[in-house]
Each structure stands twice: as C-alpha cells, then as structure tokens.
Amino acid sequence: MELYSPDRLAAARRAAAEAGLDALLIGPSADLQYLTGYDAHALERLTLLVLPTDGEATLIVPRLERPAAEASPAESIGVRLVDHADGTDPYRIVQELLAGRAKTAGLGNRMWAEQVLALRDALPETGQALAGAVLRGLRLRKSPAEIEALRRAGQAIDAVHERMGEWLRPGRTEAEVAADIAAGIREAGHATVEFTIVAAGPNGASPHHGVSDRVIAPGEPVVVDIGGRMPDGYCSDSTRTYCVGEPPADFAAYYAVLHEAQRAAVAAVRPGVSAESVDAAARDLIAGAGYGERFLHRTGHGIGLDGHEDPYIVAGNDAPLEPGMAFSVEPGIYLAGRHGARIEDIVVCTEDGVERLNTIDTELVIL
C-alpha cells in the first residue's frame, strides 16, 4: 500500500486537467498498474480505467477477471469496479460515464488499435490524445517507496549473478545455462522472469542475442544480461560479463576500457546534469580508446514498472536529471564475429549524487 495509494489518482487528475484533458482512459499496461495496482491481462475483452478529472475512478473489467481486480489494491484506493459479461457491449459503460462530459480524453499509449477505434465510435464528440505525456511526468521521478522496491529488485538480481559459478562452464549450452538462471531468478524472489541473455563468444557481439544451443567453449567471454519482475511489479535488470577460463588478450584490453567507462558514467550522475552528458561520460572514453563504433546503443534506459521507460540516457536528450530518476548505466563494446562485453547497473539520482542499486562488483569475473 506504500506503493499504490489514492495520491497517484489525485496526481493524475491534476496533471490531466493541466494538460487540457477531461479524462484518462487507460487499458492494461504499466500505466494502469501504476494508477491502480492492478496488473491486468491484455485481452480482446475490454479492461479500462475511466478517470475523469472531476469524477469517480471506474475500472471496467471482464466479469471473469473481476476476482483478480478485486485482489488488487484498486478498490482500497477508491476505484469503483464495474464488470461486463461476455456478449454485452462494455463501451456502453464508457458512454454512460463520459458522454457529454469529456471534450478530450487521454488514451493509454499502448492501447490496442481496435479499442481506440471502438472508443472513438462510442464517444464521437470526444477528441483523443495520448495519456503518456501526462503520466510520464508522474512516473519519471520515483517515490521513496518505489526506490525501495527497485532496491529490493536490484538485490534479488545481484543474488542470481553471485550464483553464476554454479551454472556457467565450458561444455554447456547457452540455453542450458539460461534455464538454470531463470530458475534462480524465481528463487531469488522474482514473480516472473522477463529475459535471460546468455551470449558466448561471437554471440556476445550481438547486444540482444538471447540464447541458443551453442556450446560454451573454454576461454570464451560470456555476456549475461538478466531481469525479472518482483511481486510488487517493479523490475530488475543487470548485466555482467564473465569468462570461462583465461580471457583473450584483446578482450581483456577492451574490457578494462569498458570498466572505466561504466564507472565514469555512474559517477557523472547527479541532479541538474543532462541525460546525454551521462551517455557522453561513457561514450567519450570508449571512443578515445578506439572503440567508438563498437558501442552500438544508448548508455541507459529508465526502469520501474516497465523494464524500459523514461528517462533515456542517450545523445540528444538534454533533459536534466532529477532526484528520484532511476535508470540503467550499461555501456558495451562489441567486436562482430569475435566477442563482446557489457556492464549494467541500475542507479537512482539522489539529492546530492547517485546510488547504485546493483552493488556487486563490476570487474571481469573469471570462472
């Protein structure tokens, strides 16, 4: 209940009104969970939060999903539940709630197109806009309770990395190692496994490789990028690079550069600096060492109820960092056809600097 409270609904109403919206219409998404605590399935049956700026919050759910909605914090924070049976038209409920009362409604950014169009038909006099611009500002700065949730998630995924020596060894396939990691993610307290990247040798040069049946060979670097979702909905995400035996000399050389770059980017985080300056802190060191073209992606992404959300730590984002912003710092160097490396921590911008939410060592681990 520290995470999910009526304060979020009140803040959303105020922000929507300031943006010139008369209501928010939010379907299954992290936005819906943020506002109500309900982690809804995205189905062809309509699930929709109707949040007028001047009225009661109503959560429309399929009748067979009502028990799940009742088990969430939604009702306890002042959301009225209304269900609809199969064969009935749930858009009539939206009409009853908003017809003639909403000149413009903000729709969830990830709502299915068929639902967007059905809402347009149900409310022909109501203009549609994106709700993301309103909710982004609320979700961008994490509350102390959210930071504690992300801290717990960081500790849980750190515990999985600390067990890598049990699973990662020559002769096993990436897929076999990933299966053990997935079990470890759940054992560490996550409710779900969101991803397991185990990228050995040349596969490590592909940042989003995933896993394969490739057998891990002695002396190969292995990029392990893993994350899950905790029972409270907040996400973990952490990458470490391992070597099963002594690493190749060229790999050890650029890993040292990467290690320095990742530490420099973390150290650059503080209130008032731009997101792109944190990216530059890592990128300039990597480019200066001759690997600039081998750093293929942005330095980081925000994290919370979504694995990727604002703020994005990338060139061109001149927005200043603020206390409460949580995001990854994950530079990488990738040599196509040979190997690659990435180091990723989740950090939070504090009042006077930065806190790493992943606290295990970032040195190369030789197993």
Side-chain angles (χ1 to χ4, degrees):
M1 291 304 298
E2 284 184 304
L3 286 170
Y4 302 107
S5 75
D7 293 343
R8 289 185 175 181
L9 294 171
R13 286 190 179 97
R14 290 193 298 271
E18 290 169 2
L21 302 178
D22 302 300
L24 297 177
L25 302 175
I26 308 297
S29 59
D31 284 339
L32 179 65
Q33 187 171 7
Y34 177 83
L35 292 171
T36 68
Y38 180 39
D39 184 15
H41 296 296
L43 302 167
E44 73 282 3
R45 299 177 173 97
L46 183 69
T47 295
L48 189 72
L49 174 67
V50 180
L51 183 63
T53 57
D54 61 353
E56 183 180 27
T58 301
L59 181 58
I60 302 168
V61 298
R63 184 160 295 169
L64 76 169
E65 297 294 323
R66 183 170 185 128
E70 289 176 336
S72 78
E75 288 185 296
S76 66
I77 62 173
V79 178
R80 181 172 68 106
L81 291 184
V82 176
D83 62 45
H84 59 92
D86 284 352
T88 62
D89 181 5
Y91 297 94
R92 293 287 298 274
I93 304 171
V94 185
Q95 284 180 318
E96 292 169 5
L97 292 170
L98 289 184
R101 296 182 54 202
K103 183 178 179 181
T104 306
L107 276 59
N109 287 32
R110 298 179 186 178
M111 187 180 292
W112 290 359
E114 64 184 44
Q115 295 170 345
V116 172
L117 296 177
L119 286 167
R120 183 175 295 175
D121 290 341
L123 300 169
E125 297 180 1
T126 299
Q128 295 180 341
L130 289 175
V134 171
L135 296 176
R136 174 185 178 275
L138 303 182
R139 293 179 55 192
L140 190 60
R141 291 171 296 278
K142 270 53 180 183
S143 69
E146 288 181 286
I147 293 169
E148 180 56 32
L150 288 169
R151 191 178 289 119
R152 289 192 298 268
Q155 292 168 351
I157 208 67
D158 282 354
V160 181
H161 274 294
E162 288 173 337
R163 296 182 61 189
M164 210 56 59
E166 299 176 28
W167 309 314
L168 186 56
R169 56 183 180 272
R172 304 196 76 203
T173 68
E174 294 172 346
E176 288 170 338
V177 174
D180 288 335
I181 291 171
I185 290 172
R186 294 187 180 92
E187 290 167 9
H190 293 82
T192 62
V193 179
E194 295 300 302
F195 55 90
T196 54
I197 294 174
V198 180
N203 290 338
S206 175
H208 282 178
H209 161 68
V211 299
S212 74
D213 290 328
R214 187 181 187 281
V215 175
I216 298 167
E220 282 191 330
V222 184
V223 178
V224 178
D225 184 353
I226 54 177
R229 191 176 303 276
M230 299 292 281
D232 57 23
Y234 284 77
C235 297
S236 67
D237 185 0
S238 178
T239 308
R240 293 292 184 266
T241 301
Y242 301 87
C243 200
V244 287
E246 286 302 313
D250 60 342
F251 173 83
Y254 74 72
Y255 189 89
V257 172
L258 179 65
H259 185 254
E260 181 184 4
Q262 200 266 349
R263 292 178 64 184
V266 171
V269 176
R270 62 184 183 276
V273 305
S274 66
E276 66 181 357
S277 70
V278 177
D279 179 89
R283 198 169 301 277
D284 290 352
L285 277 169
I286 292 171
Y291 298 102
E293 294 184 357
R294 309 294 190 174
F295 184 4
L296 306 176
H297 51 75
R298 64 195 174 207
T299 292
H301 58 82
I303 191 169
L305 289 168
D306 274 318
H308 285 194
E309 59 185 51
D310 288 306
Y312 291 99
I313 310 304
V314 64
N317 184 2
D318 61 0
L321 299 181
E322 300 178 39
M325 290 183 175
F327 49 88
S328 67
V329 176
E330 52 176 308
I333 296 175
Y334 309 96
L335 275 60
R338 297 168 69 188
H339 34 60
R342 182 165 64 257
I343 305 169
E344 176 184 17
D345 289 325
I346 301 302
V347 305
V348 60
C349 183
T350 65
E351 293 290 341
D352 56 3
V354 63
E355 177 188 352
R356 288 175 63 222
L357 301 184
N358 298 107
T359 59
I360 58 173
D361 202 343
T362 55
E363 297 283 353
L364 178 65
V365 177
I366 300 176
L367 299 172

